[in-house]
Amino acid sequence: MGIPLYAVIKENINHEVKEFQPYFKGEIFLDVNKCFYGPKQRKLGLMGFARLGVWKNFIRAWREGFTGNMAGEGLILGGVYVIGAKDQGILLEHREMEFGDKVDHQSLLEAIEKIKPLIRTKPEQ
């Protein structure tokens, strides 16, 4: 689709980033201070495991071959953003509401299609 991809992660346990890289064709940034995660980090505490949706997501991921691990922080919720060029701003914001939430693929594709390419002008000579 010709758009750059970026990932912001909160930690790099063992070789996770290296192992994830083949599935993500973009740059990955490590945010050790967790600034990208907002002034108030969104967490789902241990009681989140009592939610039916979390268990459905866990079973779906397990069936798809995702094994995961118990290393690292693990309670901060993530998200997916599609940000347009210049003043377009945020075209899609998906905030994980519980562990394993997935962004709606159709909404994601629609947001990507709204990105207006930057028009590059030739420098004056």
Side-chain angles (χ1 to χ4, degrees):
M1 297 188 122
I3 61 167
L5 296 176
Y6 302 98
V8 178
I9 60 172
K10 64 185 183 299
E11 58 194 355
N12 183 14
I13 307 293
N14 299 324
H15 302 285
E16 284 181 335
V17 172
K18 186 178 178 182
E19 292 169 4
F20 178 66
Q21 192 67 63
Y23 304 100
F24 186 80
K25 302 299 181 197
E27 288 188 71
I28 299 176
F29 297 95
L30 177 60
D31 180 9
V32 292
N33 296 322
K34 299 177 186 75
C35 296
F36 185 78
Y37 292 85
K40 184 175 188 289
Q41 294 176 355
R42 297 174 331 99
K43 292 185 177 186
L44 188 61
L46 295 176
M47 287 302 295
F49 289 105
R51 292 180 166 194
L52 179 61
V54 170
W55 286 99
K56 285 182 180 180
N57 292 338
F58 171 75
I59 292 168
R60 180 197 70 235
W62 180 71
R63 285 183 178 157
E64 292 175 3
F66 179 76
T67 56
N69 62 46
M70 298 304 285
E73 184 277 328
L75 299 178
I76 295 177
L77 297 169
V80 174
Y81 297 87
V82 175
I83 303 172
K86 297 263 181 182
D87 61 349
Q88 276 191 287
I90 297 173
L91 302 173
L92 174 82
E93 178 179 2
H94 166 78
R95 292 181 181 205
E96 193 177 33
M97 298 304 291
E98 59 187 21
F99 304 129
D101 275 354
K102 291 173 70 174
V103 66
D104 177 67
H105 290 168
Q106 186 60 38
S107 298
L108 181 62
L109 290 173
E110 288 171 6
I112 290 170
E113 289 173 2
K114 290 179 186 175
I115 295 175
K116 296 176 186 167
L118 288 174
I119 299 172
R120 303 198 187 272
T121 58
K122 290 183 182 178
E124 292 183 28
Q125 297 183 23

